[in-house]
Amino acid sequence: MSKIKIAELFYSIQGEGRYMGVPSVFLRTFGCNFKCAGFGMPRGESSKEADNIAVMHAMHRFDKYEELPLVSTGCDSYASWHPDFKELSPMLTTDAIVERIMEILPHGEWQDEHLVITGGEPLLGWQRAFPDLLSHPKMSGLQEITFETNGTQKLDPNFKEYLADWLWGSDEREITFSVSAKLPCSGEKWEDAIKPEIVCEYEQVGTTYLKFVIATDQDFADAECAIAAYRRAGFKGHVYLMPVGGVESVYTMNNKNVAVLAMKHGLRYSDRLQVPLFKNEWGT
Ligand code: SF4
């Protein structure tokens, strides 16, 4: 039986993208190939918030995710990849994960809820474990899955084949890749973050869309360059603009401007409903 290192497993409302408002189980895997320390910072500078919290953690242990401080700069799910917090993320068998999912679903079984497999970056090594999870008998009622990915990880051929078979299991089933491609405002390098051929491969398996986090005009100019690169590679999916802001004060400064920008350019707007509804606290 496979095991997955789980940063968080919780039930909430999807706050972003295509399934905004849909009741969802969030399975957040541990580990990411990026740090995204540039979010909310002046260009070229890196947030130190996660590292500072790691220092606090070394002195006064936080016992669970819910106790960790929220950050206003850098990656808002920092504890899902920062090595100093890895002991907060247990390695669980797929059976144990399924049991926990049944406990948090309101009816103890899948009905109209959808599964969000997020991270960290969920398409790192965990691709090998997902078939065990999704093939569990108690997961047979699941109809919709979204992989929230940064769009840099190729699909493992066996996993790709598994997903194609999973879709054949029912006409109602849908797979979505929500690709939050990282622009230079994230602090990550363009050549590492913008991988059009990889994202085009996701389109062979499921509905795939791009989601860009925007704070400034420069971010939008970068998004336009990235969109052109994805289109040149053959990407056909929708594009969403989403305001930066893991905390409410930053989100409310940006959300209306980003919505207007999206309208002006005929792009889709994605909110971050978890921020106004739940303050983006861990477990929401
Ligand atoms: S890709 Fe996502 S999870 Fe990874 S560091 Fe960036 S924002 Fe955080």
Side-chain angles (χ1 to χ4, degrees):
M1 188 187 312
S2 301
K3 291 183 176 179
I4 305 176
K5 194 165 174 62
I6 298 296
E8 291 190 287
L9 179 53
F10 59 93
Y11 176 67
S12 188
I13 284 174
Q14 172 60 289
E16 304 174 4
R18 179 185 186 202
Y19 284 94
M20 205 166 64
V22 174
S24 304
V25 170
F26 289 79
L27 178 69
R28 189 188 299 286
T29 60
F30 185 86
C32 189
N33 54 324
F34 288 157
K35 293 184 174 169
C36 296
F39 279 134
M41 300 294 291
R43 282 268 156 144
E45 293 185 26
S46 296
S47 170
K48 299 278 181 291
E49 279 193 82
D51 288 338
N52 291 340
I53 295 166
V55 172
M56 288 162 58
H57 183 48
M59 293 187 297
H60 161 79
R61 307 302 285 183
F62 296 105
D63 291 327
K64 47 188 178 183
Y65 271 78
E66 291 77 10
E67 295 176 0
L68 291 168
L70 304 178
V71 294
S72 56
T73 57
C75 168
D76 61 1
S77 54
Y78 62 91
S80 69
W81 52 263
H82 196 298
D84 289 7
F85 302 98
K86 67 173 185 247
E87 81 279 3
L88 296 181
S89 299
M91 186 74 90
L92 299 178
T93 63
T94 48
D95 274 7
I97 294 167
V98 171
E99 288 311 315
R100 178 73 188 121
I101 289 174
M102 295 304 126
E103 283 167 22
I104 60 178
L105 281 169
H107 303 285
E109 61 178 9
W110 290 103
Q111 292 194 353
D112 197 25
E113 302 85 5
H114 117 279
L115 174 65
V116 183
I117 301 185
T118 187
E121 172 47 54
L123 298 180
L124 289 171
W126 307 122
Q127 291 189 47
R128 287 190 293 275
F130 293 144
D132 267 2
L133 178 78
L134 299 174
S135 299
H136 191 289
K138 291 185 178 174
M139 297 292 274
S140 60
L142 172 65
Q143 303 287 16
E144 292 160 301
I145 307 171
T146 295
F147 293 95
E148 290 187 335
T149 170
N150 59 29
T152 62
Q153 302 303 307
K154 279 178 74 68
L155 290 177
D156 174 83
N158 292 330
F159 185 48
K160 191 174 170 184
E161 197 178 318
Y162 175 83
L163 290 177
D165 287 347
W166 187 85
L167 282 172
W168 278 106
S170 157
D171 288 347
E172 309 294 318
R173 286 186 170 172
E174 282 204 54
I175 290 172
T176 300
F177 291 88
S178 171
V179 179
S180 183
K182 299 306 178 226
L183 297 173
C185 62
S186 68
E188 301 300 330
K189 288 188 189 147
W190 185 279
E191 58 271 29
D192 295 335
I194 306 300
K195 302 278 190 186
E197 293 75 19
I198 289 176
V199 172
C200 288
E201 191 190 14
Y202 301 165
E203 280 196 304
Q204 296 167 12
V205 179
T207 301
T208 302
Y209 61 84
L210 291 162
K211 193 173 61 176
F212 293 103
V213 175
I214 303 290
T216 64
D217 290 345
Q218 181 62 54
D219 297 341
F220 182 67
D222 291 338
E224 284 190 301
C225 287
I227 293 165
Y230 286 103
R231 293 290 185 221
R232 277 197 301 277
F235 175 73
K236 297 191 175 47
H238 294 302
V239 177
Y240 288 76
L241 302 185
M242 187 170 82
V244 75
V247 293
E248 207 167 13
S249 55
V250 179
Y251 158 84
T252 49
M253 276 193 317
N254 280 291
N255 58 345
K256 187 173 173 189
N257 290 344
V258 174
V260 170
L261 197 59
M263 285 163 59
K264 184 174 163 193
H265 293 275
L267 299 171
R268 297 188 171 202
Y269 170 73
S270 170
D271 211 292
R272 310 167 75 104
L273 280 181
Q274 67 275 28
V275 179
L277 286 179
F278 304 121
K279 314 293 181 209
N280 205 24
E281 287 172 351
W282 296 100
T284 63

